[in-house]
Amino acid sequence: MNIKVSVIIPVFNVEKYVNYAVESVLSQTYKNIEIILIDDGSTDESPILCDQLSERNNQIKVIHKTNGGASNARNTGIDNATGDYILFLDADDFWNDNTAVEKLVKRVSKSHADILNFSYIKYYEDINQYQKYFDNIINCPLDLSKEDQKKYILDHNLYIASPCNKLIKRNLFDNDLYFIKGSYSEDIDWCLRLLIKAESVDFICENFYCYRQRSDSVSHTINDKKCRDLTNNILNCFSIVNKNESLKDNLYKYVAYQYGTFFITQALAENYQSNCIDELSKYKWVLKYHSNNKKLIILNIMVTILGYKLSCKIIRFFIRLRR
């Protein structure tokens, strides 16, 4: 297996975690790997730690740049990657299986997929507990036609809005696949564009990516901009799907899940999101593409009976009451 894998790691003020993330890559049994650390204008000790890691191992390349956000840092990594495939790893996350890349490469050598999706784990650092997101799920059948592969992973809710649980063929990346700079929830729009771009997709049930749940993480604070960006990215998805008529019914299954995330986001937001709710209420019909996801089925029933706006208010009330 001569497949080269580029691991792109954006780094911003994560001096506590970056060594652990990088070591989880260096410990892999599969060695044809390059690691690209993008220091995104960190103001802590992260830049020094990145340089020290690079000095000790020639697999590691460090790029220092002014702060532009995670999306911009990933774009920089894409531009500098030389591998056949790309993996993304956030610097506060880690892999807990040193055979992970070896397993991915073996699988993609069989399927030749443009995108190989895999499982992940939520790691709650405050209580030191792990929760598997996908577990005991069969791998995508290898004998599916390319036309049926996308339908299969969308029907089984196996395609999520994260770049970090995907091994991606590098030649897919062009101007259409850059992340939107300065936007929250940019993964939603980007992963849909990626799915459309790919000719073949696959899924393997391997739980090794540990998504660290940090109480101080920026993702845990919901402000007006985050709600606005999430809304815009969901609306972008509708525009993208409408340009791909032949795939429309399948792609709406992905959009329906992203649409459902807004119910929780608006409930956790500091302020009531009346404008975003007004805009998204026009698309409540997408919940019928729920792919038998239990949460989306409940939301669809709730919205059908109570209406979109009242459902948002009720969910917001009960979530804030519990907090």
Side-chain angles (χ1 to χ4, degrees):
M1 295 180 291
N2 294 318
I3 292 173
K4 183 178 181 180
V5 178
S6 299
V7 182
I8 296 172
I9 308 178
V11 177
F12 179 69
N13 290 350
V14 283
E15 61 183 12
K16 181 179 176 182
Y17 303 109
V18 64
N19 277 331
Y20 199 80
V22 172
E23 288 301 328
S24 75
V25 181
L26 291 176
S27 68
Q28 292 295 306
T29 54
Y30 190 81
K31 296 302 181 183
N32 195 7
I33 295 175
E34 68 171 357
I35 301 172
I36 305 174
L37 300 176
I38 304 96
D39 165 38
D40 190 37
S42 298
T43 57
D44 64 357
E45 296 297 309
S46 296
I48 296 172
L49 295 173
C50 288
D51 288 338
Q52 290 174 346
L53 287 163
S54 179
E55 289 169 3
R56 293 199 298 265
N57 195 299
N58 59 13
Q59 287 177 270
I60 301 173
K61 179 194 301 182
V62 179
I63 300 169
H64 298 285
K65 60 183 288 297
T66 56
N67 181 255
S71 296
N72 185 245
R74 285 174 180 161
N75 291 340
T76 300
I78 292 167
D79 285 339
N80 287 273
T82 63
D84 302 295
Y85 281 83
I86 286 177
L87 283 168
F88 293 99
L89 172 63
D90 288 346
D92 53 350
D93 298 338
F94 59 96
W95 299 337
N96 70 351
D97 180 356
N98 64 359
T99 65
V101 178
E102 182 179 348
K103 291 172 181 174
L104 295 181
V105 169
K106 284 182 178 178
R107 176 71 179 193
V108 84
S109 296
K110 294 178 181 178
S111 69
H112 305 290
D114 290 339
I115 309 169
L116 173 57
N117 300 271
F118 49 90
S119 319
Y120 77 88
I121 304 167
K122 288 185 177 180
Y123 171 59
Y124 296 87
E125 66 173 4
D126 291 345
I127 55 176
N128 193 31
Q129 285 190 2
Y130 295 82
Q131 178 185 356
K132 293 180 179 179
Y133 189 83
F134 296 118
D135 195 23
N136 295 321
I137 296 175
I138 62 171
N139 297 337
C140 184
L142 286 170
D143 58 353
L144 292 178
S145 67
K146 290 182 179 180
E147 292 75 17
D148 288 335
Q149 289 169 348
K150 291 181 183 180
K151 184 178 187 301
Y152 182 92
I153 66 167
L154 290 168
D155 279 345
H156 292 79
N157 300 300
L158 299 177
Y159 191 79
I160 64 172
S162 171
C164 294
N165 78 321
K166 297 170 177 61
L167 179 69
I168 307 164
K169 191 171 288 186
R170 186 171 61 89
N171 64 15
L172 287 183
F173 292 91
D174 57 21
N175 291 332
D176 293 329
L177 279 179
Y178 279 111
F179 292 88
I180 300 172
K181 181 180 177 180
S183 174
Y184 294 108
S185 304
E186 74 283 0
D187 296 349
I188 289 175
D189 166 282
W190 184 84
C191 284
L192 180 59
R193 288 186 282 122
L194 174 68
L195 181 61
I196 292 170
K197 186 81 171 178
E199 291 187 6
S200 56
V201 294
D202 191 15
F203 172 84
I204 184 172
C205 191
E206 289 291 341
N207 295 286
F208 65 85
Y209 189 102
C210 295
Y211 175 29
R212 192 185 298 270
Q213 306 296 291
R214 295 166 47 196
S215 57
D216 62 340
S217 171
V218 67
S219 63
H220 285 79
T221 304
I222 309 298
N223 55 29
D224 291 347
K225 175 172 169 50
K226 287 189 177 180
C227 287
R228 181 71 260 170
D229 286 351
L230 174 59
T231 300
N232 287 340
N233 277 293
I234 292 171
L235 293 175
N236 285 346
C237 286
F238 283 105
S239 297
I240 292 169
V241 172
N242 287 335
K243 295 175 183 177
N244 291 270
E245 188 69 33
S246 63
L247 298 172
K248 186 176 288 187
D249 285 347
N250 283 326
L251 296 179
Y252 276 145
K253 297 169 188 175
Y254 170 83
V255 180
Y257 186 89
Q258 312 315 319
Y259 186 84
T261 64
F262 180 80
F263 286 88
I264 303 302
T265 301
Q266 64 85 28
L268 295 172
E270 298 166 342
N271 302 310
Y272 181 68
Q273 302 296 312
S274 57
N275 290 337
C276 295
I277 289 170
D278 284 344
E279 292 178 59
L280 289 177
S281 65
K282 303 169 187 175
Y283 297 89
K284 59 186 179 183
W285 50 265
V286 79
L287 289 171
K288 69 182 181 181
Y289 293 92
H290 49 66
S291 293
N292 294 318
N293 180 286
K294 291 181 181 178
K295 293 180 181 178
L296 292 185
I297 291 173
I298 292 171
L299 282 174
N300 189 35
I301 294 171
M302 190 175 181
V303 168
T304 300
I305 296 173
L306 301 175
Y308 183 84
K309 296 180 183 180
L310 181 56
S311 296
C312 285
K313 288 181 179 179
I314 291 172
I315 292 170
R316 180 176 174 85
F317 174 79
F318 281 106
I319 286 182
R320 297 178 78 82
L321 185 66
R322 288 178 61 186
R323 296 181 75 191

